[in-house]
Amino acid sequence: MQLGMIGLGRMGANIVRRIVAAGHTAVGCERHVEVIDDLTTELGGRFRGSTDLVEFVAELDTPRVVWVMIPAGLTGATVDQLARLLEPGDIVIDGGNSRYHDDIARAAQLAPLGIHYLDIGTSGGVYGRERGFCLMIGGAAEPVRYVEPLLRAIAPGVSAAPRTPGRTGEPGPAEQGYLHCGPAGSGHFVKMVHNGIEYGAMAAYAEGFNILHKADYGNRAGGEYSAEETPLEHPEYYRYDIDIGEVAEVWRRGSVVASWLLDLTAAQLRADPNLDSFGGRISDSGEGRWTLDAAVDIGVPAPVLSAALFQRFASRGESAYADKALSAMREAFGGHHELPGQE
Amino acid sequence: MQLGMIGLGRMGANIVRRIVAAGHTAVGCERHVEVIDDLTTELGGRFRGSTDLVEFVAELDTPRVVWVMIPAGLTGATVDQLARLLEPGDIVIDGGNSRYHDDIARAAQLAPLGIHYLDIGTSGGVYGRERGFCLMIGGAAEPVRYVEPLLRAIAPGVSAAPRTPGRTGEPGPAEQGYLHCGPAGSGHFVKMVHNGIEYGAMAAYAEGFNILHKADYGNRAGGEYSAEETPLEHPEYYRYDIDIGEVAEVWRRGSVVASWLLDLTAAQLRADPNLDSFGGRISDSGEGRWTLDAAVDIGVPAPVLSAALFQRFASRGESAYADKALSAMREAFGGHHELPGQE
Amino acid sequence: MQLGMIGLGRMGANIVRRIVAAGHTAVGCERHVEVIDDLTTELGGRFRGSTDLVEFVAELDTPRVVWVMIPAGLTGATVDQLARLLEPGDIVIDGGNSRYHDDIARAAQLAPLGIHYLDIGTSGGVYGRERGFCLMIGGAAEPVRYVEPLLRAIAPGVSAAPRTPGRTGEPGPAEQGYLHCGPAGSGHFVKMVHNGIEYGAMAAYAEGFNILHKADYGNRAGGEYSAEETPLEHPEYYRYDIDIGEVAEVWRRGSVVASWLLDLTAAQLRADPNLDSFGGRISDSGEGRWTLDAAVDIGVPAPVLSAALFQRFASRGESAYADKALSAMREAFGGHHELPGQE
Amino acid sequence: MQLGMIGLGRMGANIVRRIVAAGHTAVGCERHVEVIDDLTTELGGRFRGSTDLVEFVAELDTPRVVWVMIPAGLTGATVDQLARLLEPGDIVIDGGNSRYHDDIARAAQLAPLGIHYLDIGTSGGVYGRERGFCLMIGGAAEPVRYVEPLLRAIAPGVSAAPRTPGRTGEPGPAEQGYLHCGPAGSGHFVKMVHNGIEYGAMAAYAEGFNILHKADYGNRAGGEYSAEETPLEHPEYYRYDIDIGEVAEVWRRGSVVASWLLDLTAAQLRADPNLDSFGGRISDSGEGRWTLDAAVDIGVPAPVLSAALFQRFASRGESAYADKALSAMREAFGGHHELPGQE
């Protein structure tokens, strides 16, 4: 079977590699010609590419399967172009980080043209090539069924995890690592919530590590008292010098918090035990915000997911004005002047 | 009636001033002799003081009323000294920011000696002199009754606020601004929760002001898209240049969020419209932490109070290690390198 | 001057009453004829009304000032009708709880017709009649200037609060209780953030009161130990029986948390000391959600405002599925079966 | 080598089973004689037990290794008894859920007697028997070294997870699944933080699942508008009927949130797709609370861990009074009466 891939960045290229490794072929579209050349060399006769969208479309067998894997802000324009170039029965897949609202609009835009639209939330990051990608799919049943051989090639496969107790017989799609979640938008909706959870779980680890990191505070704290600062009541309880990299390692086996995120963290702490190479400004790429928007819309409490998101904002300095306002209030009612910048 | 005051800092001196203004007399104990001299000059014959505790105690009429108003870390040693100097029937008052646990211990320590102990949580800050202090009192009924003339002089009095609907007849103590809350420790317990609420309410304003402050973000945001950053979907919704000082002012009259904290904030914003004189490192003085400890002990959800406390910690850089851990994880699974330090 | 008011519910009628009390006249539009009749009787010759919008418009002096004060979901249709009935130079005011997005759209819709549009966020609730309403106004400068006599009649006036230090001379609009915040939508934007803060401040009090409420937990807790339950380490610290109504009362005078919300709470606790008449299902009326949406859009941390909102969701049972999921996980890894429904 | 185990509940018995399976022997102490009998039968000659502590101690080879695995509230009394029965060189291990404060005290209590004390935080739950237990150890180096053969038998071993990149050569203890974290108390300290993280990560999943669960809200919501309720602005965005069990399954392979907790959740959802067998009252067993206490003591922000803890409190009805207070305030300023108990 053949996959057309628009965008041969890290994710797009790795999906193509898995497709080819599974015995399928791929055609790429990408404005950097050297990326195409490199991939052509790497994958031999099973891949070819073009820098031109019209040429790319012409290369594809019908019904065409066109996977769009580009920054979310550019996807709309590309879908518009595809709407003009494709034919009834063709399938457009958005595998990027689009907001699911856009999927609903795009599916409705393409439907009158007879073009199918699938939104496929794709998780796996840089490890996806070897580990496989987890695929969350929204759209109609027919095109999902049609591309299933490709999905199976991209997904991790059932052997990637022990089977869940109670699941027997022929493994279903979810056990292979891909799931048709529902109609248009549902794939990116589920992926969005996935990322919301990811933010929350990451923050849980980060806060815990921060507590371990400061477990020696009883040694550091001075013994002086003032009306402004709370002395540590029991410094003897905080005299631990914890090796956080070793803790992350030991938790990987047998503990309740064992996870892939922890595996990665253990590797990072192995390579950089004090995390000195990181500045701690944390980007957020949309899904965490949209998850919170959804929670607010439908009235679901999300205290953990929101706390995780807000910590990211604050890591980029976005609490500064609020902090100044608090200082101003404290000075006003208490005559509390700020202390100089000691930690 | 006579009040003995140990500690003539801002709070102690202002309490003495209210006592004297109400026609009582006061004796002070304070190691800075010039503070005593100044207050003696200011208050004429109704105040005298000493730098020596023994001398101070000797000056007091019996039964002695000794109000201790010093940093919480020093109160214990002073109470120990008083235990040796005072006589049965004397009354020790801790008006500082002690943890209520200590009150329970100190009341038990003094009881066998026949010395009464009252813990009086005292709110009012630098405005207390004119506005009066709100007094939350823990201890036995008898000494509370004995010192009531002093409490009435220190508290704001019923005219400080309109009477609550349903309260008629002779105003009770709470309407005067002082309240016997219960046995030893209950005064500081109620004051502790008061400060916990204060942190939460302050943070509510600060967050709101921060949103107003950034309401012009649609003008500031660039138009570029990347896989790392979320473009603002509707920049047209964020093109407001709000005068926050004027907003604080207008909310003071007729709005649901009118409060004394808002009055103070309006004054600060009037004096420094951009809050440029504040760095935004926010101290915390114990009560907010203890409130959270209490909530955890007795199993009461306190998401707002804890968020307010944690924002203070974070304002002092205490999220740094957690933020680095998050950056490390993001790099690991997504190959996301941190962006350079733009805002 | 004359005000046209569409919607004579609690808020609309009280605004009309203040307008009339200030010497202006008013015309009302309201589908319940008995409401119009009652108000006509009450206000004598200075008010008349109609159940018909066309008739109502015909009654108004030009340029017409039409204040729409109806549920937000109905405002759009009414503005559409007004667009057909009004003339260039007329002024439409939305004083309800519309989302500011809609104001931007409506101002743009009416501008080509020469009709002015003002959004006026109106705070004050049931007390507004006597206390005056706090008005936050968005729109162009010219119509704001035109309706200023009406705004002054509706707003509380400068005497409603002591003047802020540093404010001298002729009091400005903010000191009167109304503020032109900026272009279309800014009035409801500022009102939205106001309500966000309101939710946060309310939650701060509610959490604090909850801690006081359970301060007797050391008396209630059993002495039994199990692997599932944490025994209270120090029951002796939680043996207080706090009179919460008295605490609310004492905090009204001299304390840092004195506020109008606290005044109201003290009155409610006076009338119903155990709050037995309340079930604790808390509605939310949009602004708290929209505040959070805005914070997320522009990347401002809002942990307190979000916690307050989520508590409202949870009060309506919306955590139930999450709680079940947690129970399911605990059973899975720990064999922890849920305890029967004791508190 | 020989292990003495006090307490043959689920955890204690499974540790004994792993010890025996590894070729060591064990002696048990347990008041339920039938438990001893069953285990004796099951394990043949490699296990024997007693209901009497004196007899149990007499059975042990010296230096004795006594692992105490009983509810935390009972551990102190048992350690006191052991202090009287054991001899210099013997080793007491607390493998239960003690607070690490107690470990510091117990190690200090036993040190003058020449008895070693180790605190071993033990994670793994009901799966520990097959999966091995993750062991976090506090105490002196010498006794840790002595019991290492036993630790290796109890821990999962290096094969339980792929080796972390950068870790080569002979696997260290952390890679085996046990870690000497530091002096007395550090084992339970690290275990405590582990559980704090566990609470946070669990809540992240639970909130995400709750959002998926309500993703059909656009179908459910009525179309009516009132001043009290916010209509759903875009019901078309919430018309998904997500199969949450399938989502949990698909995330197990290739996604960023793959974890052991997710594995367990997938199994629970397989067995009970709507989680109907759970009531959603969530216990908390101390460590989550103590983690928060530690964060507060040392000034580390923990918004996620605290939100997770408070959700548990709230699931047991502990927000009720706060909710009533909020309803009371809303009624006071807005005349908002509570809606009847619809969801």
Side-chain angles (χ1 to χ4, degrees), chain D residues 3 15 53 66 69 98 106 117 134 158 160 178-179 186 210 232 261 283 295 319 336 339:
Chain D
L3 176 75
I15 289 173
L53 190 66
V66 181
M69 204 70 184
S98 294
R106 286 170 195 153
Y117 180 89
C134 179
V158 70
Y178 65 94
L179 179 68
S186 64
N210 200 6
L232 194 48
L261 274 170
S283 295
S319 286
H336 302 290
L339 300 173

Side-chain angles (χ1 to χ4, degrees), chain D:
Chain D
M1 202 165 170
Q2 188 203 53
L3 176 75
M5 174 65 71
I6 300 177
L8 295 172
R10 201 167 44 207
M11 296 279 281
N14 280 337
I15 289 173
V16 163
R17 288 185 180 101
R18 287 187 68 88
I19 287 288
V20 167
H24 303 290
T25 60
V27 181
C29 182
E30 159 71 41
R31 53 184 175 155
H32 299 97
V33 69
E34 67 280 12
V35 172
I36 294 173
D37 291 346
D38 289 355
L39 211 56
T40 306
T41 307
E42 176 189 336
L43 298 176
R46 309 193 70 84
F47 173 82
R48 62 186 184 283
S50 167
T51 57
D52 180 74
L53 190 66
V54 176
E55 225 175 84
F56 162 79
V57 168
E59 291 273 3
L60 294 171
D61 305 334
T62 57
R64 298 174 187 86
V65 179
V66 181
W67 186 299
V68 184
M69 204 70 184
I70 58 180
L74 307 174
T75 301
T78 301
V79 170
D80 289 345
Q81 288 178 281
L82 289 171
R84 288 189 293 271
L85 296 170
L86 299 184
E87 293 171 295
D90 287 349
I91 299 171
V92 173
I93 295 170
D94 179 4
N97 286 322
S98 294
R99 191 166 195 176
Y100 75 98
H101 299 179
D102 294 330
D103 298 316
I104 294 174
R106 286 170 195 153
Q109 167 192 0
L110 297 182
L113 307 172
I115 304 172
H116 300 291
Y117 180 89
L118 300 178
D119 51 285
I120 305 193
T122 305
S123 180
V126 294
Y127 288 81
R129 183 186 177 177
E130 43 178 297
R131 198 174 169 243
F133 293 93
C134 179
L135 304 175
M136 296 147 263
I137 307 152
E142 189 197 324
V144 174
R145 209 170 316 121
Y146 184 78
V147 300
E148 229 169 336
L150 299 173
L151 301 177
R152 265 198 299 271
I154 301 166
V158 70
S159 66
R163 290 194 80 180
T164 293
R167 292 201 179 253
T168 54
E170 186 62 31
E175 294 187 86
Q176 304 281 355
Y178 65 94
L179 179 68
H180 183 199
C181 301
S186 64
H188 276 136
F189 186 91
V190 171
K191 173 60 160 52
M192 170 189 84
V193 174
H194 166 278
N195 283 33
I197 292 171
E198 173 193 310
Y199 283 27
M202 287 171 71
Y205 288 113
E207 291 181 9
F209 289 137
N210 200 6
I211 295 169
L212 295 177
H213 172 69
K214 211 176 166 183
D216 65 347
Y217 188 59
N219 292 329
R220 286 195 269 156
E224 278 157 46
Y225 298 111
S226 82
E228 292 292 302
E229 292 287 326
T230 316
L232 194 48
E233 201 172 336
H234 291 290
E236 71 274 20
Y237 290 157
Y238 301 100
R239 300 206 191 283
Y240 299 124
D241 185 19
I242 309 283
D243 184 329
I244 296 174
E246 290 297 288
V247 169
E249 185 63 38
V250 80
W251 286 348
R252 295 182 64 226
R253 293 177 178 85
S255 97
V256 175
V257 302
S259 72
W260 191 59
L261 274 170
L262 182 64
D263 293 348
L264 297 175
T265 310
Q268 294 287 64
L269 284 162
R270 180 70 179 179
D272 179 5
N274 297 315
L275 304 176
D276 290 328
S277 59
F278 300 95
R281 289 180 68 91
I282 313 146
S283 295
D284 72 278
S285 56
E287 288 88 352
R289 299 185 184 202
W290 303 332
T291 302
L292 195 46
D293 285 340
V296 167
D297 277 356
I298 60 179
V300 167
V304 160
L305 306 192
S306 58
L309 181 65
F310 292 142
Q311 179 172 3
R312 295 186 173 210
F313 292 172
S315 80
R316 305 196 302 257
E318 297 292 358
S319 286
Y321 188 84
D323 292 341
K324 288 180 176 204
L326 290 172
S327 281
M329 288 183 220
R330 292 190 82 237
E331 188 197 58
F333 67 74
H336 302 290
H337 300 294
E338 284 185 72
L339 300 173
Q342 91 285 27
E343 196 182 15

